[in-house]
Amino acid sequence: MLFFPVFRLSQPRFAHKSLKAGLLAMSLALTGAPLVLAPAPVQAQQVSAFMQSVAEAASSSKVLSEFYRANGYKPVFTDNSARAKARRQALLRAVNAAPEKGLAPYDTSLLVANLRAIKSDRDLGRAEVAMAQLFLDYARDIQTGQLVPSRIDSGLVRQVPYRDGLAVLTNFTKSNPQAYLRKLEPSSPEYARLLKEKANLEQVLGKGGWGQTVPGSKYEPGDSGNGVVILRNRLMAMGYLPRSAATTYDAKMQKAVQQFQMDHGLTADGVAGKATLDEINVGPEKRLASILVALERERWINMPLGKRHVWVNLTDFSAKIVDDGRVTFETRSVIGQNVGDRRSPEFSDEMEHLVINPTWNVPRSIAVKEYLPMMQKNPNAAGHLRLVDSRGRTVNRANVDFSKYTSRSFPFNLKQPPSNRNALGLVKFMFPNKYNIYLHDTPSKSLFGREVRAFSHGCIRLQQPFDFAYALLAKQTSDPEGFFQAKLKSGVESVVPLEEHVPVHLIYRTAVSKPKGGMEYRRDIYGRDAKIWAALQNKGVQLRSVGG
C-alpha cells in the first residue's frame, strides 16, 4: 500500500508550468477530475523545493535514492512531457489490470487522496516518488512473484531470479512504457496458456460451474441410472464428452473417463472409481486456485531454462529431457516420501556428470537415524554396507560396540559398493547441491507401477535410467549406448563428465497446460500448493467470476 503525507499549504506554488500540467494530467488519470492550482512564482526557489522533496521521499529506498540522484532529481512521472504521460498511463493501466494476471489488486486510494490535496512542489515531489515506488512494486510482482518461496515451506528452496530494481526502473524510463511492462511478465508459452485457462475458468464460475457433483463411489461400462446421467452431464460440461443423451455408461463415456484419468495422473482404466470421482467432483474454484498458484510459480522461474534442460515435476512423478521447448525423452520417477525431511525440495541447478557403477555413500542422517539403531540391536544388520573410518579404512563390525554411540558421536561412514543391489542402482546423475539431491537408478523397480510414487528419502529415482543416460550422452558421442555399456560392464565406478552442463529444474506443478489445448491437474501430494494459495489469499489474490 502506498502512502505519502497530505500537505495543506496556505499558498500553493509550482515552479514549472510543465509540473503543474503534469499533475493535472495525472489527477485526471487517477480520479477523473482536474485540480485547480495557483500560478507559479519564482522558478529557482521552487525547483529546489521539488528536488529536495524527491530526495527526502526517496531516502528510505536505496534503489529510488540512487535512481533520482543519478537523474538529477528530475521528474519521470509527474511532468507534462509526452513520455511522462505515457509512463503514467501505461503504469496505471497495468496496475488496474493486475487481477487479470493473477496478482492481488493494488490499493491506490491513498495515492489518489493525496494527489487531490497537492498544493506545492514539495507535495508533487512526494507524488513523483510514490509513482516510482508503485512501478517497482508492480514490476517485481509481475516479473518474479508476490511471495518469497522460502517463507512458505521449507521444501521451497528455489532461488528466485530477482532483477536489479535500479536497472529495471532506469530501463523503463528509456523504453516504450507499455511494451516494457508487457516484457516484465514471463514469456513462456506455459504462462500464456495458464492465463488463457484462468480466463476460461472465470467464465465457468460465472455460469455456475460444471453442474451437480457425481454421487456414489463407482461407475463402469454397462451401468445406468441417475448417477450415470449426472456423470455424463459433468463430463460434457468439463469438455470431455460431446453432447449426448445416453443414459448408460457406453463406450463414448468410457473413452471420456479414460481421457480425464490421463489428464489427472490416474490409472486410465475407463472405470470411474472413487479416486476418479473425487477428481471429477473437484470444482472449478479449486482448479482456478491451482492455476493462480501455477502462475505465481511460473514467475518464480522466470528465467532462461536452457536450450536443453531436465524437467522434473514432482507431482507428476516424471522426469523429462526438453530440447528447444520439445520433450525428447520422458520416464516415470519416484520422489521423496511425504514425511518430515524426506520430501523432495524444489530448486534449479546444473547437471555436471554421471556416475556409472556408483558407490552409495549413505547420508549421515540416514546412517544415524536408520542404520545405527539396527546395528545396535544386531551388529550384522545391513550387512550389504561397509563400515568405513575417517581414514577410509574398512572396519570389522565384530570389533565395534555400537551401543556406546549416539547419533552425534557415531564416528563411521557407511558405504555400499557398486552392484545390482546398490541403492542407487547402476548409474546416478549429479548436479552437486547442498541438499544432496540427485537422479539415480534403483533396484526397486516395482514401485514404478504405482499411481502415487512417493517412496524415496528425497532423491529422484528413474524408471529408465539407462535410456536417460543415452539421451544425455548422445550430445557428446556417436555411440552413447556402446560407450555407457562398456563402462557398466567393467564393474568399476566411473565418473563421466558432461561436456555441456545441463540445467535441472525440480518443480512442483499441480496445474500444467497441454501445448495443443486443455489442462492436466495433479494432486497436491506435499500440501505445498495449499500453503501458497493461503499466502496468496493473504496478499489479496481472489477468485474471480466473469459473466453470469
Side-chain angles (χ1 to χ4, degrees):
M1 185 177 293
L2 298 169
F3 177 75
F4 52 90
V6 176
F7 291 84
R8 302 183 185 278
L9 305 180
S10 58
Q11 294 184 349
R13 296 180 176 182
F14 292 88
H16 287 301
K17 292 181 180 179
S18 62
L19 291 182
K20 176 179 176 180
L23 178 58
L24 286 167
M26 184 165 63
S27 177
L28 279 167
L30 285 167
T31 70
L35 300 179
V36 179
L37 304 171
V42 183
Q43 179 172 331
Q45 177 184 351
Q46 299 309 318
V47 169
S48 175
F50 176 82
M51 293 169 63
Q52 183 178 354
S53 176
V54 168
E56 291 172 354
S59 63
S60 61
S61 165
K62 181 181 178 181
V63 169
L64 292 178
S65 292
E66 290 184 14
F67 173 77
Y68 283 108
R69 188 185 309 119
N71 88 335
Y73 301 98
K74 296 175 184 176
V76 294
F77 288 100
T78 55
D79 66 25
N80 196 37
S81 68
R83 300 194 73 171
K85 181 179 180 182
R87 292 180 196 122
R88 289 194 300 271
Q89 292 177 339
L91 176 59
L92 294 171
R93 275 196 297 266
V95 166
N96 289 334
E100 297 175 16
K101 307 294 185 180
L103 298 177
Y106 293 81
D107 185 355
T108 58
S109 57
L110 286 174
L111 176 60
V112 171
N114 282 280
L115 283 171
R116 286 173 172 165
I118 289 176
K119 294 186 178 181
S120 74
D121 279 0
R122 292 188 62 80
D123 296 347
L124 188 58
R126 292 178 175 85
E128 168 69 30
V129 175
M131 291 289 286
Q133 184 62 61
L134 176 61
F135 167 80
L136 288 175
D137 291 343
Y138 175 80
R140 175 158 170 163
D141 291 348
I142 195 67
Q143 193 169 46
T144 47
Q146 305 163 92
L147 305 175
V148 178
S150 60
R151 297 177 184 173
I152 307 299
D153 185 277
S154 60
L156 293 170
V157 294
R158 176 166 303 288
Q159 296 297 310
V160 179
Y162 295 118
R163 275 52 164 189
D164 177 68
L166 179 59
V168 171
L169 180 53
T170 301
N171 291 336
F172 175 65
T173 63
K174 297 177 180 179
S175 307
N176 176 289
Q178 192 169 343
Y180 188 85
L181 287 166
R182 282 198 303 267
K183 287 182 179 179
L184 291 175
E185 299 180 60
S187 60
S188 65
E190 178 69 8
Y191 181 78
R193 292 193 292 260
L194 287 171
L195 284 177
K196 184 177 180 180
E197 182 63 14
K198 173 183 176 294
N200 173 57
L201 287 173
E202 288 171 346
Q203 290 184 343
V204 170
L205 283 175
K207 294 176 181 177
W210 290 315
Q212 185 178 348
T213 56
V214 184
S217 59
K218 185 179 181 181
Y219 298 96
E220 56 190 341
D223 285 352
S224 60
N226 187 55
V228 170
V229 172
I230 295 173
L231 173 60
R232 177 203 69 191
N233 292 342
R234 194 162 178 93
L235 288 170
M236 287 193 297
M238 297 172 75
Y240 282 95
L241 185 66
R243 181 173 282 287
S244 171
T247 57
T248 60
Y249 199 120
D250 58 14
K252 289 183 179 179
M253 188 177 294
Q254 181 181 13
K255 184 178 179 181
V257 169
Q258 285 178 314
Q259 184 60 58
F260 179 91
Q261 290 169 328
M262 287 188 286
D263 285 349
H264 292 76
L266 303 165
T267 301
D269 57 8
V271 175
K274 183 180 183 306
T276 297
L277 290 176
D278 285 347
E279 292 300 309
I280 286 175
N281 284 332
V282 170
E285 299 89 351
K286 185 174 180 180
R287 297 304 187 202
L288 179 54
S290 294
I291 294 291
L292 292 168
V293 169
L295 285 167
E296 177 71 0
R297 286 181 171 279
E298 192 70 10
R299 287 187 277 264
W300 291 349
I301 201 168
N302 183 12
M303 60 185 181
L305 300 178
K307 188 175 181 180
R308 156 170 276 209
H309 61 268
V310 173
W311 187 258
V312 179
N313 187 2
L314 301 177
T315 66
D316 187 40
F317 310 107
S318 69
K320 302 173 182 177
I321 296 177
V322 181
D323 289 288
D324 297 317
R326 185 173 64 89
V327 176
T328 55
F329 180 84
E330 181 174 1
T331 183
R332 289 188 168 202
S333 70
V334 167
I335 68 170
Q337 296 179 49
N338 187 26
V339 177
D341 60 0
R342 295 187 179 184
R343 299 181 183 93
S344 300
E346 302 169 50
F347 64 99
S348 294
D349 212 306
E350 283 195 348
M351 187 178 294
E352 299 178 3
H353 62 272
L354 53 96
V355 182
I356 303 171
N357 295 316
T359 295
W360 184 36
N361 298 295
V362 182
R364 175 79 182 178
S365 59
I366 298 176
V368 299
K369 290 180 182 179
E370 298 184 25
Y371 289 115
L372 176 58
M374 292 169 57
M375 292 184 292
Q376 287 174 332
K377 293 179 181 179
N378 175 11
N380 295 316
H384 61 290
L385 300 176
R386 288 193 297 119
L387 202 65
V388 180
D389 66 16
S390 59
R391 295 184 180 180
R393 299 173 299 187
T394 298
V395 177
N396 188 334
R397 294 189 185 205
N399 300 326
V400 178
D401 180 5
F402 292 100
S403 64
K404 71 178 184 179
Y405 297 116
T406 66
S407 60
R408 289 188 176 183
S409 64
F410 187 61
F412 304 108
N413 293 318
L414 296 178
K415 295 178 180 290
Q416 184 180 18
S419 73
N420 287 325
R421 295 182 59 240
N422 189 287
L424 304 182
L426 295 171
V427 60
K428 65 179 180 178
F429 305 88
M430 301 300 294
F431 39 105
N433 58 81
K434 62 183 178 181
Y435 315 110
N436 200 28
I437 297 295
Y438 42 90
L439 312 184
H440 65 86
D441 180 20
T442 176
S444 305
K445 305 295 185 182
S446 63
L447 296 178
F448 293 107
R450 305 283 187 91
E451 188 175 272
V452 175
R453 298 187 290 277
F455 299 103
S456 81
H457 285 84
C459 286
I460 311 301
R461 304 174 187 173
L462 304 180
Q463 183 180 30
Q464 298 169 285
F466 289 7
D467 291 328
F468 188 80
Y470 303 157
L472 290 172
L473 294 172
K475 292 286 186 178
Q476 60 191 61
T477 176
S478 59
D479 183 15
E481 183 174 353
F483 174 87
F484 181 90
Q485 287 296 330
K487 297 284 187 182
L488 183 65
K489 290 174 183 176
S490 73
V492 176
E493 183 172 88
S494 302
V495 176
V496 180
L498 292 176
E499 293 176 2
E500 291 186 17
H501 292 178
V502 180
V504 178
H505 306 289
L506 271 61
I507 56 103
Y508 185 104
R509 298 288 176 88
T510 59
V512 178
S513 71
K514 297 195 290 186
K516 295 183 179 181
M519 291 293 301
E520 292 188 353
Y521 292 98
R522 296 294 183 265
R523 284 161 283 193
D524 185 11
I525 184 148
Y526 292 160
R528 289 178 185 164
D529 273 19
K531 292 180 180 180
I532 294 172
W533 175 234
L536 287 173
Q537 287 179 296
N538 191 51
K539 281 281 187 179
V541 176
Q542 299 176 350
L543 300 179
R544 306 193 316 155
S545 61
V546 177

